[in-house]
Amino acid sequence: MSGSGTRPQTGKMLPTRTTEEVRADGADVAVLPIGSFEQHGAFLPLATDTVIACTIADEIAAAHPVLHLPPVTISCSHEHAAWPGTVSLSAATLYAVVRDIADSLRRSGVRGLILVNGHGGNYVLRNIVQESAATDFRMALFPGSADWDSARTRAGVRTPSNTDMHAGELETSILLHAHPELVRPGHETSDWISDDRKHLLTLGMPAYTESGVIGRPSEASADKGKELLAGLVESFAEYLSLVGAVKEA
């Protein structure tokens, strides 16, 4: 999934390329977008996290020499199971899928893998990256909380990160910029604040929201989405340097 119709394809998404084109690129670090298939209120699609992860990866591939893999589109969304359309994988299955992808890349000569995660509930990805630190195939998880904080500041996002948890200002802004055709009417009147979510993992989202939204989507704008993406592309350079340097380490 690429950006809006006014922005060109990067040409780095693997399904559209041949083996010889990939070899000619010479990229030896891969990026894997990981999204989800879960409710995002009444105005954003079930594939929102996948669209956002792919949009971030598109922007990264346009600015950095990376191998842009197709996305993992279903992940760990169990806390959203009360809403129709949500589909989940177990953490063990997601772990196995990502590990198999990493092992396959390593065998084909790729130096490292950066996971571009679009869903906060994919906690197991941290463990996968943690385990890679003891191997010769380095991995990273992007964006981190500091990267999001920096991008939020750059974009002028007004909602604090804890409040802006799901289908809020940040996610809606990115879609308004990159895929406005996917944003249905209603985000302007769908704010829902629920900052105390102490037992979210036990009780799931229904304990904290009726609509599925937690945040202030009314504050979203396409301009903020554009700046959020620009900030993340800037932050990514550090990750590429760390993962790409493993062969010389």
Side-chain angles (χ1 to χ4, degrees), residues 138-156:
R138 189 166 288 174
M139 298 176 66
L141 183 61
F142 181 82
S145 57
D147 307 306
W148 279 122
D149 288 346
S150 177
R152 284 173 174 273
T153 299
R154 172 179 178 145

Side-chain angles (χ1 to χ4, degrees), residues 23-25 32 38 68 93 126 146 150 159-160 172 183 202 234:
R23 181 180 290 118
D25 277 349
L32 176 64
E38 65 187 36
H68 183 351
T93 298
R126 297 187 180 194
S150 177
T159 313
T172 306
V183 182
T202 300
E234 186 174 302

